[in-house]
Amino acid sequence: MKRYCCSLFILLSIYSSCLFAQQHMETKILGNAESVSKQNNVLVIKTKESEARIWIYSPTIIRVNISKVHSADTSFAVIQKPAEKLEYSESTNELLINTGSLKLSISKSPLRFSFYTTDNKVLSEDDARFGTNWQGTKVVNYRKLYKDEKFIGLGEKTGDLNRRGSSYINWNSDVPDHTPKSDPLYETFPFFVGLHNGLTYGLFFDNTHKSYFDFGASTDDTMSWFGADAGDMNYYFFGAQSVSKIIEDYTWLTGRMQMPPLWSLGYQQCRWSYMSAEEVLNIAETFHKEKIPADVIYCDIDYMDHYKIFTWNKTTFANPKAFIDQLKSMNFHLVTIVDPGIKVEPGYKQYDEGVAKNYFATYPNGEKYVGSVWPGRCHFPDFFRDDVRKWWGASFTALTEPGVEGFWNDMNEPAAWGQNIPSIVKFGDYYMPEVRNVYGMEMARATFEGTKKLLGNKRPFVLTRAAYSGTQRYSAVWTGDNSAYDAHMLLGQRLVNSLGITGMSLVGVDIGGFTGDPTPELMVRWNSLGVYTPMFRNHAMQGTKYREPWRWGKENEAIIKKDIEQRYKLLPYIYSGYYQSHQTGLPLSRTLAINYTQDTSVFNTKYQNQFLFGDALLVAPVESTRFTEDVYLPAGEWYRLSNGEKFTGSKAVHVEAPLNNLPVFVKAGGIIPMQNVIQSTNEKGDGILELNVWYGKEANSFVYYEDDGSSYNYENGEYYKREIYFDPAKSTISLSAVEGSFTSKYNKIKLVMHGFKGNIKTFKVNGKAVKIWPDAEHGTDYSLIDNNSKPIIIIY
Ligand code: GLC
């Protein structure tokens, strides 16, 4: 018996080692083209084991999809259809597509893809040795790396502006306590821009599985690579020759933001948590008492009854309607948090409905998945289903009926304590690993679509923590649980700038840092940067010191207040900036790499946090412990916003940077519409639009845009839009005729001309001579002009 057992054991070991040998992962290469055909608008190339399909989406966008098994062709991100026509030529070794703006050359043996400009400069190409291949289900594309190649993009990723030499993983994760080096974070944007040899290209890898990007980090600088655990090698290649045009193309493909509610652009006060309606009202009242402008206040998880989504705590928030009415009477809009986890509790409406209708994620045997979050044991809605999204959207009546107008979607990576949602958890036909990276976006979509319906013609404000490419269509994002130290403030700025490249314009960070307590200096400095952050929200973790503007001593409060006032003055400019995002996808906060792509200094890690805020302003973030700073000013002339001092660019300048004066510069020729200080966006103000123009040697223009700030009437032409031109050669400023049927809330335009004295003697505004009139404030000159499409009258 013993001998028998022994031989059985030996046999079993041999068998299992054979099995092990067989399980070694095999690398499958793409191979050679065996057949080529055109099926309508798709070029189909078959190899022994796979099939490549190519579509043209626009003259500057070509899609390549390489797959072993072509399944349903769906995308959560892409909203466009390919062009109807595709033409190609074929020779013995090559297939060639020329769109007129971009060339794709496909070598047949082995099958490799190379993109060129139409004048035959190579933009990007497969690594000749490896191209695309598979290991098990994992698919990877290896690309040739050019000596001077830089990479920007990938959205919410830590590290430097230039991603060369770094590698990243996309796997939406709840990462409290993340550091300026952590990866992955909460969001997935598999889109980057490559720069080399004076050329630009973009690449969007539309694959929702866990994905990997390596920009020459571990390849001896010979190649870059990207891939995913499963799914297709499915990418869109962008060949436009400027970063802004590539962003325009990427957001054409994946959608652009709608106009946000104007109130969401004002100052936002948040905290985990204001514990009762009384406390929230107190905070709101203090803003009024201290005359600090604000528009938004938040309720974090404690407004709910035991953290049950779509409920109110019956004791501390006993009468939500009366509470919100009071907030409204003080011109505050309320935003409340919602998490995806529905508490397992029979008798709780959303639990009962979800169970009855089978709306929750399951295991393969049909059992509902349970993960623990704030409410304890939870089920997770399957946001990939239309009926579930509708149900979720309709559940917001509990919040919209009493008057909530903003909806903060959190914990939607999805987060469950322990972070390890099993791979066999199913959302309908999808297993978790396939759709984890899009769960947050689909939740934000359900929230946006549902609340938009419930609010009638009013714009909801939606904010989400987890996201995938395309989220800009539904929601703003913030960068999650940051920390109260300087490196995090600077990281936050890079994240905001990087998210801008991937189509997210309305982006915020927790001003002051979520965890830890900022020093008063850091709070003041971070708040001043908040003025130039697309979404200006102060937020902090439970247990930290209170963060509101008046908690930092009178002197600091005065600085914080002045900065918040500056945000309100800039709102006409900021709102026009969002119109630009809505129209072209160009973000409000722009890394300098967008406009000054070929200037290597902008990638210098010393200056990499600097950004343009809209068309005209350059902002240099400064640590809270430094009171002077080296700022790199790109080509052209620049004026310090605070005192009009003029600088010549293409060099670094050393400037004063006290806590009350963040280095902010205006580009010569810059046009910035401003207004007087108001206490909230609900206030009308003095009716004067202050049109600031800074003298420059080159002509410039600005699209001014205004609408009611709250409804969708702008979609039917109810807006006020006019272009403002400044032409130094002709000594003129002209305002185009008004487009749209909206009546501006500003009756008059006050023209404020900076730096004109000595440069121009006579000046005309829409054909009429204006006198250049000295003003006490750093030598500016101004005139008043009637607005609202009446003939322009200059008033001295
Ligand atoms: C998460 C969010 C944070 C929120 C907290 C409580 O950590 O990122 O912003 O305050 O949950 O809801």
Side-chain angles (χ1 to χ4, degrees), residues 577-614:
Y578 280 111
Y579 178 69
Q580 208 178 9
S581 305
H582 166 62
Q583 289 286 301
T584 69
L586 209 61
L588 194 61
S589 281
R590 304 169 195 165
T591 157
L592 298 185
I594 296 179
N595 288 53
Y596 304 98
T597 315
Q598 306 308 335
D599 182 342
T600 49
S601 296
V602 308
F603 299 95
N604 183 329
T605 50
K606 201 166 165 192
Y607 311 120
Q608 65 177 349
N609 307 312
Q610 292 181 201
F611 60 102
L612 291 187
F613 188 68

Short mmCIF file of all heavy atoms in Angstrom, two decimals, residues 577-614:
data_model
loop_
_atom_site.label_atom_id
_atom_site.label_comp_id
_atom_site.label_asym_id
_atom_site.label_seq_id
_atom_site.Cartn_x
_atom_site.Cartn_y
_atom_site.Cartn_z
N GLY A 577 -14.51 81.17 -20.53
CA GLY A 577 -13.55 80.07 -20.65
C GLY A 577 -14.26 78.72 -20.72
O GLY A 577 -13.87 77.83 -21.49
N TYR A 578 -15.31 78.56 -19.93
CA TYR A 578 -16.07 77.31 -19.99
C TYR A 578 -16.84 77.18 -21.30
O TYR A 578 -17.05 76.07 -21.78
CB TYR A 578 -17.01 77.18 -18.79
CG TYR A 578 -16.26 76.70 -17.57
CD1 TYR A 578 -16.06 77.52 -16.48
CD2 TYR A 578 -15.69 75.43 -17.54
CE1 TYR A 578 -15.34 77.10 -15.38
CE2 TYR A 578 -14.97 74.99 -16.45
CZ TYR A 578 -14.80 75.83 -15.38
OH TYR A 578 -14.06 75.40 -14.31
N TYR A 579 -17.21 78.32 -21.84
CA TYR A 579 -17.87 78.26 -23.16
C TYR A 579 -16.87 77.69 -24.18
O TYR A 579 -17.23 76.87 -25.03
CB TYR A 579 -18.35 79.66 -23.57
CG TYR A 579 -18.97 79.68 -24.93
CD1 TYR A 579 -20.20 79.05 -25.16
CD2 TYR A 579 -18.34 80.28 -26.02
CE1 TYR A 579 -20.77 79.03 -26.43
CE2 TYR A 579 -18.90 80.27 -27.28
CZ TYR A 579 -20.11 79.64 -27.47
OH TYR A 579 -20.66 79.61 -28.73
N GLN A 580 -15.63 78.10 -24.04
CA GLN A 580 -14.58 77.58 -24.92
C GLN A 580 -14.45 76.05 -24.73
O GLN A 580 -14.35 75.31 -25.70
CB GLN A 580 -13.27 78.27 -24.56
CG GLN A 580 -12.30 78.37 -25.69
CD GLN A 580 -11.03 79.12 -25.27
OE1 GLN A 580 -10.82 79.40 -24.10
NE2 GLN A 580 -10.20 79.41 -26.23
N SER A 581 -14.48 75.59 -23.48
CA SER A 581 -14.40 74.14 -23.23
C SER A 581 -15.60 73.44 -23.85
O SER A 581 -15.48 72.37 -24.44
CB SER A 581 -14.41 73.84 -21.72
OG SER A 581 -13.39 74.52 -21.07
N HIS A 582 -16.76 74.04 -23.70
CA HIS A 582 -18.00 73.48 -24.24
C HIS A 582 -17.94 73.40 -25.77
O HIS A 582 -18.39 72.43 -26.37
CB HIS A 582 -19.15 74.36 -23.76
CG HIS A 582 -20.44 74.17 -24.46
ND1 HIS A 582 -21.13 72.97 -24.44
CD2 HIS A 582 -21.20 75.00 -25.22
CE1 HIS A 582 -22.25 73.09 -25.14
NE2 HIS A 582 -22.31 74.30 -25.64
N GLN A 583 -17.32 74.41 -26.37
CA GLN A 583 -17.27 74.46 -27.84
C GLN A 583 -16.11 73.67 -28.45
O GLN A 583 -16.26 73.05 -29.49
CB GLN A 583 -17.10 75.93 -28.29
CG GLN A 583 -18.32 76.76 -28.08
CD GLN A 583 -19.41 76.45 -29.09
OE1 GLN A 583 -19.21 76.58 -30.29
NE2 GLN A 583 -20.56 76.03 -28.62
N THR A 584 -14.95 73.73 -27.79
CA THR A 584 -13.75 73.15 -28.43
C THR A 584 -13.07 72.07 -27.60
O THR A 584 -12.17 71.41 -28.08
CB THR A 584 -12.68 74.24 -28.68
OG1 THR A 584 -12.16 74.66 -27.40
CG2 THR A 584 -13.22 75.45 -29.41
N GLY A 585 -13.46 71.95 -26.34
CA GLY A 585 -12.81 70.97 -25.46
C GLY A 585 -11.57 71.49 -24.78
O GLY A 585 -11.01 70.84 -23.91
N LEU A 586 -11.12 72.68 -25.17
CA LEU A 586 -9.92 73.24 -24.56
C LEU A 586 -10.21 73.53 -23.08
O LEU A 586 -11.20 74.18 -22.76
CB LEU A 586 -9.52 74.52 -25.29
CG LEU A 586 -8.03 74.84 -25.28
CD1 LEU A 586 -7.23 73.74 -25.95
CD2 LEU A 586 -7.77 76.17 -25.96
N PRO A 587 -9.36 73.05 -22.16
CA PRO A 587 -9.69 73.22 -20.74
C PRO A 587 -9.43 74.64 -20.25
O PRO A 587 -8.70 75.40 -20.90
CB PRO A 587 -8.74 72.23 -20.07
CG PRO A 587 -7.55 72.19 -20.97
CD PRO A 587 -8.09 72.34 -22.37
N LEU A 588 -9.98 74.93 -19.08
CA LEU A 588 -9.73 76.25 -18.48
C LEU A 588 -8.29 76.33 -17.96
O LEU A 588 -7.59 77.30 -18.20
CB LEU A 588 -10.73 76.46 -17.34
CG LEU A 588 -10.87 77.87 -16.83
CD1 LEU A 588 -11.34 78.81 -17.92
CD2 LEU A 588 -11.83 77.93 -15.65
N SER A 589 -7.84 75.29 -17.24
CA SER A 589 -6.45 75.26 -16.75
C SER A 589 -5.61 74.49 -17.75
O SER A 589 -5.84 73.31 -17.98
CB SER A 589 -6.37 74.53 -15.41
OG SER A 589 -6.76 75.39 -14.39
N ARG A 590 -4.62 75.16 -18.31
CA ARG A 590 -3.85 74.54 -19.40
C ARG A 590 -2.38 74.48 -19.04
O ARG A 590 -1.76 75.53 -18.83
CB ARG A 590 -3.98 75.38 -20.68
CG ARG A 590 -5.40 75.57 -21.07
CD ARG A 590 -5.56 76.61 -22.17
NE ARG A 590 -6.97 76.98 -22.23
CZ ARG A 590 -7.45 78.03 -22.85
NH1 ARG A 590 -6.64 78.85 -23.50
NH2 ARG A 590 -8.73 78.28 -22.84
N THR A 591 -1.84 73.28 -19.03
CA THR A 591 -0.39 73.19 -18.89
C THR A 591 0.24 74.04 -20.00
O THR A 591 -0.30 74.13 -21.11
CB THR A 591 0.11 71.74 -19.01
OG1 THR A 591 1.47 71.76 -19.40
CG2 THR A 591 -0.66 70.94 -20.05
N LEU A 592 1.39 74.64 -19.71
CA LEU A 592 2.05 75.47 -20.73
C LEU A 592 2.41 74.65 -21.96
O LEU A 592 2.66 75.19 -23.03
CB LEU A 592 3.29 76.14 -20.15
CG LEU A 592 3.08 77.10 -18.97
CD1 LEU A 592 4.40 77.77 -18.59
CD2 LEU A 592 2.03 78.16 -19.28
N ALA A 593 2.45 73.31 -21.78
CA ALA A 593 2.79 72.44 -22.91
C ALA A 593 1.72 72.51 -24.02
O ALA A 593 1.99 72.10 -25.15
CB ALA A 593 2.95 71.01 -22.44
N ILE A 594 0.54 73.03 -23.71
CA ILE A 594 -0.48 73.13 -24.77
C ILE A 594 -0.13 74.27 -25.74
O ILE A 594 -0.12 74.08 -26.95
CB ILE A 594 -1.89 73.33 -24.17
CG1 ILE A 594 -2.29 72.09 -23.35
CG2 ILE A 594 -2.92 73.61 -25.28
CD1 ILE A 594 -3.65 72.17 -22.69
N ASN A 595 0.19 75.44 -25.18
CA ASN A 595 0.45 76.59 -26.06
C ASN A 595 1.92 76.76 -26.44
O ASN A 595 2.23 77.41 -27.42
CB ASN A 595 0.01 77.89 -25.38
CG ASN A 595 -1.48 78.00 -25.33
OD1 ASN A 595 -2.14 77.09 -24.85
ND2 ASN A 595 -2.02 79.09 -25.83
N TYR A 596 2.80 76.21 -25.59
CA TYR A 596 4.24 76.43 -25.82
C TYR A 596 4.95 75.08 -25.95
O TYR A 596 5.98 74.83 -25.31
CB TYR A 596 4.83 77.29 -24.69
CG TYR A 596 4.08 78.60 -24.54
CD1 TYR A 596 3.08 78.76 -23.59
CD2 TYR A 596 4.34 79.66 -25.41
CE1 TYR A 596 2.37 79.95 -23.48
CE2 TYR A 596 3.64 80.85 -25.31
CZ TYR A 596 2.65 80.99 -24.35
OH TYR A 596 1.95 82.16 -24.26
N THR A 597 4.36 74.23 -26.78
CA THR A 597 4.78 72.83 -26.90
C THR A 597 6.26 72.67 -27.20
O THR A 597 6.91 71.75 -26.71
CB THR A 597 3.95 72.16 -28.02
OG1 THR A 597 2.60 72.55 -27.84
CG2 THR A 597 4.07 70.66 -27.98
N GLN A 598 6.78 73.55 -28.04
CA GLN A 598 8.16 73.36 -28.50
C GLN A 598 9.18 74.05 -27.61
O GLN A 598 10.38 73.99 -27.88
CB GLN A 598 8.32 73.84 -29.96
CG GLN A 598 7.34 73.23 -30.94
CD GLN A 598 7.29 71.69 -30.89
OE1 GLN A 598 8.25 71.04 -30.49
NE2 GLN A 598 6.16 71.11 -31.27
N ASP A 599 8.70 74.68 -26.54
CA ASP A 599 9.61 75.36 -25.62
C ASP A 599 10.00 74.38 -24.51
O ASP A 599 9.19 74.07 -23.63
CB ASP A 599 8.88 76.60 -25.04
CG ASP A 599 9.76 77.40 -24.10
OD1 ASP A 599 10.78 76.87 -23.63
OD2 ASP A 599 9.40 78.56 -23.82
N THR A 600 11.23 73.88 -24.55
CA THR A 600 11.61 72.81 -23.60
C THR A 600 11.56 73.28 -22.15
O THR A 600 11.41 72.46 -21.24
CB THR A 600 13.02 72.25 -23.91
OG1 THR A 600 13.89 73.37 -24.05
CG2 THR A 600 13.05 71.45 -25.19
N SER A 601 11.68 74.58 -21.90
CA SER A 601 11.67 75.07 -20.51
C SER A 601 10.36 74.76 -19.80
O SER A 601 10.33 74.63 -18.59
CB SER A 601 11.90 76.58 -20.47
OG SER A 601 13.17 76.87 -20.95
N VAL A 602 9.28 74.66 -20.53
CA VAL A 602 8.00 74.44 -19.83
C VAL A 602 7.95 73.03 -19.22
O VAL A 602 7.14 72.77 -18.33
CB VAL A 602 6.75 74.70 -20.72
CG1 VAL A 602 6.80 76.06 -21.38
CG2 VAL A 602 6.52 73.62 -21.75
N PHE A 603 8.83 72.14 -19.68
CA PHE A 603 8.88 70.78 -19.12
C PHE A 603 9.89 70.68 -17.97
O PHE A 603 9.96 69.64 -17.32
CB PHE A 603 9.25 69.77 -20.22
CG PHE A 603 8.25 69.75 -21.33
CD1 PHE A 603 8.45 70.50 -22.48
CD2 PHE A 603 7.10 68.99 -21.22
CE1 PHE A 603 7.51 70.50 -23.51
CE2 PHE A 603 6.16 68.98 -22.24
CZ PHE A 603 6.37 69.73 -23.38
N ASN A 604 10.66 71.74 -17.79
CA ASN A 604 11.62 71.77 -16.69
C ASN A 604 10.82 71.56 -15.39
O ASN A 604 9.83 72.27 -15.14
CB ASN A 604 12.30 73.15 -16.71
CG ASN A 604 13.36 73.27 -15.65
OD1 ASN A 604 13.27 72.67 -14.59
ND2 ASN A 604 14.37 74.07 -15.96
N THR A 605 11.25 70.60 -14.56
CA THR A 605 10.42 70.28 -13.38
C THR A 605 10.25 71.50 -12.46
O THR A 605 9.31 71.56 -11.68
CB THR A 605 11.03 69.11 -12.59
OG1 THR A 605 12.41 69.39 -12.36
CG2 THR A 605 10.91 67.81 -13.36
N LYS A 606 11.14 72.46 -12.58
CA LYS A 606 11.03 73.67 -11.78
C LYS A 606 9.79 74.50 -12.19
O LYS A 606 9.22 75.21 -11.38
CB LYS A 606 12.30 74.49 -12.01
CG LYS A 606 12.59 75.48 -10.96
CD LYS A 606 14.01 75.98 -11.08
CE LYS A 606 14.13 77.23 -10.24
NZ LYS A 606 15.35 77.95 -10.49
N TYR A 607 9.43 74.43 -13.45
CA TYR A 607 8.33 75.28 -13.94
C TYR A 607 7.10 74.47 -14.36
O TYR A 607 6.13 75.01 -14.85
CB TYR A 607 8.81 76.12 -15.14
CG TYR A 607 10.11 76.83 -14.90
CD1 TYR A 607 11.22 76.60 -15.69
CD2 TYR A 607 10.21 77.72 -13.84
CE1 TYR A 607 12.43 77.24 -15.44
CE2 TYR A 607 11.41 78.37 -13.58
CZ TYR A 607 12.51 78.12 -14.39
OH TYR A 607 13.69 78.76 -14.12
N GLN A 608 7.17 73.15 -14.21
CA GLN A 608 6.14 72.29 -14.80
C GLN A 608 4.74 72.46 -14.20
O GLN A 608 3.76 72.00 -14.78
CB GLN A 608 6.54 70.83 -14.69
CG GLN A 608 6.63 70.33 -13.25
CD GLN A 608 6.96 68.85 -13.16
OE1 GLN A 608 6.94 68.15 -14.17
NE2 GLN A 608 7.27 68.36 -11.98
N ASN A 609 4.64 73.12 -13.02
CA ASN A 609 3.31 73.30 -12.42
C ASN A 609 2.61 74.54 -12.95
O ASN A 609 1.43 74.75 -12.69
CB ASN A 609 3.42 73.42 -10.90
CG ASN A 609 4.19 72.26 -10.31
OD1 ASN A 609 3.91 71.11 -10.64
ND2 ASN A 609 5.17 72.54 -9.47
N GLN A 610 3.34 75.39 -13.64
CA GLN A 610 2.75 76.64 -14.15
C GLN A 610 1.69 76.30 -15.20
O GLN A 610 1.77 75.28 -15.88
CB GLN A 610 3.83 77.50 -14.79
CG GLN A 610 4.81 78.05 -13.78
CD GLN A 610 5.86 78.94 -14.45
OE1 GLN A 610 6.91 79.13 -13.88
NE2 GLN A 610 5.59 79.47 -15.63
N PHE A 611 0.75 77.22 -15.33
CA PHE A 611 -0.33 76.95 -16.29
C PHE A 611 -0.97 78.24 -16.77
O PHE A 611 -0.84 79.29 -16.12
CB PHE A 611 -1.39 76.04 -15.67
CG PHE A 611 -2.06 76.62 -14.44
CD1 PHE A 611 -3.32 77.18 -14.50
CD2 PHE A 611 -1.40 76.58 -13.20
CE1 PHE A 611 -3.93 77.71 -13.36
CE2 PHE A 611 -2.00 77.11 -12.05
CZ PHE A 611 -3.27 77.67 -12.14
N LEU A 612 -1.65 78.12 -17.90
CA LEU A 612 -2.47 79.23 -18.35
C LEU A 612 -3.86 78.99 -17.81
O LEU A 612 -4.37 77.87 -17.86
CB LEU A 612 -2.54 79.29 -19.87
CG LEU A 612 -1.28 79.67 -20.65
CD1 LEU A 612 -1.63 79.84 -22.13
CD2 LEU A 612 -0.64 80.95 -20.12
N PHE A 613 -4.46 80.03 -17.29
CA PHE A 613 -5.84 79.95 -16.82
C PHE A 613 -6.67 80.75 -17.82
O PHE A 613 -6.66 81.98 -17.80
CB PHE A 613 -5.94 80.53 -15.41
CG PHE A 613 -7.27 80.32 -14.74
CD1 PHE A 613 -7.68 79.05 -14.37
CD2 PHE A 613 -8.09 81.40 -14.47
CE1 PHE A 613 -8.91 78.86 -13.73
CE2 PHE A 613 -9.32 81.22 -13.83
CZ PHE A 613 -9.72 79.95 -13.46
N GLY A 614 -7.32 80.04 -18.73
CA GLY A 614 -7.98 80.71 -19.85
C GLY A 614 -6.93 81.20 -20.84
O GLY A 614 -5.75 80.84 -20.75
#
